[in-house]
Amino acid sequence: MPEFRQNLATKDWVILATERGKRPSDFEKERKQREPAPAYDTNCPFCKGNESQTLEPTYVWPAPDDWKVRVIPNKFAALDPNLSTTRSHVGLFLAAKGFGLAEVVVEHPEHNVNIVSMELEQVTQMLRACRERQAAISQNPKINLVQIFRNYGQGAGTSLIHPHSQIIATPIVPPHVRFPMEQAVLYYDKYGSCVYCDLVREELRQAERVIIESENFVAFCPYAARSPYECRIYPKRHEPSFVLVDDEELYELASVLRDLLGRVHTGLNDPDYNYIIRSSPIGDENTRHLHWYIVVIPKISIPAGFEIGTGIYINTVAPEASARHLRDVTVG
Ligand SMILES: [Zn+2]
Ligand SMILES: [Zn+2]
């Protein structure tokens, strides 16, 4: 029987229609294997030894000549750091110059690894690079939002296979980010608590969608998941911004993230995916109503006409079944 479910935080609706869906094993069969890649590629700008193909790094760890993580300005950025943020009108329509920052986090010197096959220390350092860059970029008075994300595989929008994440920082906080914030303020005013803290507590209480729980983090498929196997990692403690994660938590987060992606990799036969770190806009790092998290979206279904038309996603795999499937995966 199909069912509507509402996202407690954003008020978005989804339709669970599991009869329409295929069983998890069908997805596994349909997936094509990825082409094997070499450890080094002469033409890859991110490979160790090819540093001259990139712009000057904004961050390197541990040392420029023997780096393990490197952050560089994106040569093909969608936005330009040398413009103003002034708004202007074209008749009735509003515009602004395309000011913004775009950087690439090169997660490993080698070409053919992914997060699942990386050492835990490497994943930790990759997350630390993201945190440090978010903190540094946040000092720029013209920037209001720092978005960190990872596109894995062609179907998720990446153009290079070398392991990397991206950072795009904008002067604009769009309605897509603002609207859930406004809902969170209303919830806070009504109930006197952070909606995300309450949501995490409720997911832990209901337990059936939880995949991994550590001391400070929990990974689950949310009650109103928009797509099959959508997962989220939340800090259990109230924490509005990713920049507030301390070094000890970073190591624990790296472990939960690698474990979760390992389950997605093995349990769903290495699908393309996006993950996004949703963090408070700049200046809202200490609010009581916002709470950062990571959302992982395996690219298994494609939003179609109904989703585009209504914003209501039809999810053909119940998040309870998604969580069970990912929980049952044996990660080596
Ligand atoms: Zn490479
Ligand atoms: Zn909270």
Side-chain angles (χ1 to χ4, degrees):
M1 199 194 309
E3 181 184 20
F4 277 104
R5 287 189 182 185
Q6 190 180 39
N7 182 319
L8 180 70
T10 64
K11 306 298 179 212
D12 281 324
W13 289 94
V14 300
I15 297 172
L16 285 190
T18 53
E19 288 84 354
R20 290 180 87 234
K22 300 176 179 182
R23 297 157 69 88
S25 58
D26 291 337
F27 295 125
E28 287 164 36
K29 260 185 273 152
E30 283 169 13
R31 283 257 336 119
K32 263 200 303 188
Q33 288 298 319
R34 262 172 234 288
E35 295 287 318
Y40 170 77
D41 180 341
T42 339
N43 299 316
C44 172
F46 302 157
C47 273
K48 191 167 194 164
N50 299 350
E51 290 82 0
S52 62
Q53 295 181 30
T54 67
L55 300 169
E56 276 302 298
T58 53
Y59 179 96
V60 275
W61 183 86
D65 51 344
D66 190 22
W67 61 271
K68 292 204 162 111
V69 180
R70 194 165 180 264
V71 185
I72 45 179
N74 191 332
K75 249 187 174 174
F76 304 97
L79 296 169
D80 185 331
N82 302 307
L83 297 172
S84 77
T85 59
T86 319
R87 267 71 159 173
S88 59
H89 275 94
V90 181
L92 260 185
F93 305 125
L94 184 63
K97 294 223 162 45
F99 165 77
L101 301 175
E103 298 188 349
V104 176
V105 181
V106 182
E107 298 168 341
H108 198 283
E110 284 174 23
H111 193 68
N112 60 353
V113 293
N114 61 51
I115 291 182
V116 178
S117 60
M118 280 180 204
E119 300 278 321
L120 198 50
E121 174 65 11
Q122 185 74 27
V123 183
T124 307
Q125 291 302 336
M126 176 277 280
L127 288 172
R128 175 174 291 141
C130 292
R131 184 194 64 187
E132 295 303 305
R133 286 311 297 152
Q134 182 174 339
I137 294 169
S138 298
Q139 299 302 311
N140 185 328
K142 287 156 75 180
I143 294 290
N144 283 305
L145 185 69
V146 181
Q147 182 66 72
I148 300 170
F149 57 97
R150 187 171 207 272
N151 302 333
Y152 175 72
Q154 225 177 353
T158 195
S159 45
L160 294 170
I161 64 168
H162 195 111
H164 69 284
S165 304
Q166 293 188 63
I167 303 171
I168 296 185
T170 62
I172 287 167
V173 181
H176 181 72
V177 173
R178 246 343 153 199
F179 183 74
M181 288 174 63
E182 289 164 4
Q183 293 301 317
V185 172
L186 294 177
Y187 186 96
Y188 190 85
D189 288 346
K190 192 167 179 183
Y191 298 107
S193 56
C194 163
V195 64
Y196 299 98
C197 284
D198 287 1
L199 185 152
V200 166
R201 209 173 299 118
E202 184 62 11
E203 288 288 1
L204 283 167
R205 191 186 71 78
Q206 294 191 16
E208 59 180 332
R209 288 172 298 276
V210 173
I211 305 161
I212 304 159
E213 185 183 357
S214 70
E215 190 188 343
N216 294 296
F217 295 94
V218 57
F220 55 83
C221 294
Y223 173 74
R226 305 208 302 179
S227 56
Y229 309 100
E230 176 191 332
C231 322
R232 295 180 179 211
I233 302 173
Y234 280 82
K236 290 186 195 168
R237 181 159 64 85
H238 179 73
E239 203 164 54
S241 172
F242 180 63
V243 297
L244 301 172
V245 181
D246 66 31
D247 285 352
E248 220 169 289
E249 281 179 330
L250 214 53
Y251 188 78
E252 191 184 325
L253 176 65
S255 163
V256 173
L257 178 66
R258 191 181 65 169
D259 183 358
L260 183 64
L261 293 176
R263 288 167 190 277
V264 167
H265 179 98
T266 308
L268 303 172
N269 192 17
D270 192 17
D272 295 343
Y273 66 78
N274 301 105
Y275 79 59
I276 297 131
I277 303 180
R278 289 198 180 280
S279 182
S280 77
I282 295 161
D284 289 321
E285 291 86 351
N286 293 310
T287 58
R288 295 185 174 175
H289 59 270
L290 296 179
H291 199 121
W292 75 269
Y293 60 91
I294 299 177
V295 54
V296 180
I297 305 166
K299 297 307 255 192
I300 280 166
S301 60
I302 300 165
F306 182 72
E307 281 84 356
I308 295 165
T310 59
I312 299 174
Y313 279 64
I314 300 175
N315 183 353
T316 53
V317 182
E320 293 75 21
S322 293
R324 202 180 316 120
H325 184 69
L326 295 174
R327 227 173 15 234
D328 289 347
V329 171
T330 314
V331 181

